[in-house]
DNA sequence: ATTTTATTCAACCAAATGGTTGAACTATAT
DNA sequence: ATATAGTTCAACCATTTGGTTGAATAAAAT
């Protein structure tokens, strides 16, 4: 087993934990080194600077979320199946990485241009079949008329917000960690129903 | 006109801008001083430390959002009117303070305990009449059955998420600033409809 | 008018922080 | 075995950053 890869990955995982929790500005190279259980200068040996290490973590975080979302939207599934898969995917991903969405959103807002360039470089785009599929469902009366942008943002909002605002939700509703897990699980069932609750007549 | 108040407020407003945009860790006392157009030591003269200045800004930001939300939920209005008022309130507030929600969520997650204590000290609680009101609407079949917690989180999610994820929305959907404003305005009409779109039969 | 208090700021300080260096050590190739 | 390349780390460095000081100035109180 190659030792160097082990160390490099150890560093990367530690950096991921620290950056995702504290953000770029709040993270300390020393803390990452401690978390990785190595000397601080190793960070610079494998990743030349804080900036570079951060970028790898950030871009990997973005790649964990968007390509999968696009893949689901691009598949041949029915719209309802897609929505269910998106909800399921977010639920699974963020139960394991609770800081991920908050982290990406925060850092994205710190450097919008950099983010835009990265997204474009990765060819991340909403598939246009998705819009057509939605149009069909609207005609069938299963969804109230709205632009695809709104439809997508609605789904993502309902999934992400509780995770991002976890502290708030737990505070306002007096939920301990188990309660919160249950709360998220309930939403997994609820969100598709809200999205497909039919039109108002 | 008292000069001291002017300077103090100047500092506070500058701190608000810088902290809301960069967060506590990313904010620099020098930048706040520059933004307030005063010497750096004035910051410490009026607010003893970065921490103290930050706390004032953070707590004031929280107070800008929650009491008003609670007030709307506690009023004697119909449920639908309440929802419309919440949507309207968020729309107006965050059009003027686009970094506010992101800021509060980020810092809240950095210090959950501190946040909980503050919320409790402010007696911020979801009024219980709200739950009863929702129960009535569910019985009338205007809303699908769900716990009040989910109902509230749904509304807040649909309102806040686009603001928090502004960069993402603009990137994915190629919206310039005017397009984005229009997008938010559309949501002001859309969100109450989505919330009250009736039950699936 | 004079003392006292509040306000402002340039210069300074100590600690934290990202980053470097050079020597020691290990593994691999020849 | 020896040379080469890769890996590790303690000690060090330069800069940034939050914070202090003391003197100057303005305002208020006596």
């Amino acid at each position: 087993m190659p030792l160097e890869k082990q160390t490099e990955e150890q560093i990367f995982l530690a950096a991921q934990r620290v950056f995702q929790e504290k953000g770029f500005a709040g993270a300390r190279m020393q803390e990452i080194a401690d978390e990785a259980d190595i000397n601080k200068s190793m960070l610079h040996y494998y990743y030349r600077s804080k900036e570079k290490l951060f970028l790898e973590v950030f871009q990997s975080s973005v790649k964990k979320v968007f390509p999968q979302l696009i893949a689901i939207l691009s598949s041949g599934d029915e719209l309802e199946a897609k929505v269910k898969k998106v909800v399921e995917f977010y639920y699974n991903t963020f139960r394991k990485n609770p800081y991920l969405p908050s982290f990406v959103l925060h850092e994205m807002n710190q450097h919008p241009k950099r983010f835009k360039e990265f997204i474009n470089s990765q060819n991340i785009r909403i598939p246009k079949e998705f819009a057509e599929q939605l149009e069909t469902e609207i005609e069938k009366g299963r969804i109230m008329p709205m632009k695809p942008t709104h439809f997508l943002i609605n789904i993502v909002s309902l999934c992400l917000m509780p995770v991002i605002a976890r502290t708030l939700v737990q505070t306002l509703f007096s939920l301990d960690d188990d309660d919160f897990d249950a709360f998220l699980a309930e939403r997994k069932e609820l969100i598709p129903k809200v999205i497909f609750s039919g039109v108002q007549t």
Side-chain angles (χ1 to χ4, degrees), chain A:
Chain A
M1 146 141 47
L3 269 181
E4 91 260 14
K5 281 292 162 197
Q6 209 209 49
T7 306
E8 199 173 331
E9 182 158 350
Q10 227 171 309
I11 293 175
F12 183 82
L13 292 174
Q16 197 168 277
R17 285 192 291 274
V18 175
F19 276 132
Q20 285 192 1
E21 195 174 329
K22 309 265 175 91
F24 176 80
R28 296 289 162 254
M29 293 297 266
Q30 187 60 57
E31 191 182 348
I32 295 174
D34 292 348
E35 181 86 18
D37 208 36
I38 45 113
N39 188 285
K40 180 163 70 89
S41 46
M42 297 306 302
L43 302 182
H44 294 92
Y45 179 74
Y46 285 105
Y47 304 85
R48 308 215 331 161
S49 66
K50 185 185 183 184
E51 193 96 8
K52 291 238 170 59
L53 177 52
F54 168 80
L55 264 186
E56 298 241 358
V57 169
F58 180 71
Q59 295 184 349
S60 133
S61 299
V62 171
K63 283 186 196 163
K64 247 176 231 157
V65 174
F66 291 94
Q68 309 240 39
L69 176 64
I70 301 298
I72 295 172
L73 298 184
S74 308
S75 73
D77 290 341
E78 294 277 326
L79 190 62
E80 190 164 353
K82 285 184 182 179
V83 171
K84 279 180 181 165
K85 280 186 182 173
V86 169
V87 173
E88 199 86 19
F89 167 64
Y90 276 152
Y91 176 76
N92 293 330
T93 306
F94 301 140
R95 241 168 62 94
K96 284 172 208 149
N97 298 285
Y99 291 104
L100 207 169
S102 210
F103 167 69
V104 171
L105 288 168
H106 183 75
E107 299 301 340
M108 169 187 88
N109 283 330
Q110 296 299 307
H111 299 281
K113 275 184 193 168
R114 184 168 73 185
F115 177 74
K116 279 179 201 176
E117 278 161 25
F118 181 65
I119 288 289
N120 291 334
S121 81
Q122 297 289 304
N123 269 44
I124 292 171
R125 276 196 218 82
I126 307 303
K128 60 179 187 303
E129 310 93 281
F130 181 73
E132 294 157 12
Q133 198 170 18
L134 176 62
E135 196 53 47
T136 311
E137 292 294 311
I138 289 173
E139 276 163 20
K140 279 197 267 173
R142 294 221 49 212
I143 296 165
M144 77 175 59
M146 72 179 83
K147 292 178 186 168
T149 50
H150 288 294
F151 184 74
L152 230 168
I153 292 295
N154 287 350
I155 299 166
V156 173
S157 300
L158 293 169
C159 292
L160 283 192
M161 199 60 205
V163 179
I164 297 168
R166 172 174 186 147
T167 303
L168 177 62
V169 171
Q170 290 196 260
T171 303
L172 284 183
F173 304 144
S174 304
L175 308 182
D176 65 26
D177 290 350
D178 288 339
D179 295 338
F180 184 76
D181 276 352
F183 178 75
L184 281 193
E186 286 167 13
R187 291 189 71 74
K188 207 171 37 160
E189 314 297 318
L190 178 68
I191 292 170
K193 283 189 198 158
V194 170
I195 293 293
F196 286 99
S197 60
V199 293
Q200 192 176 11
T201 43

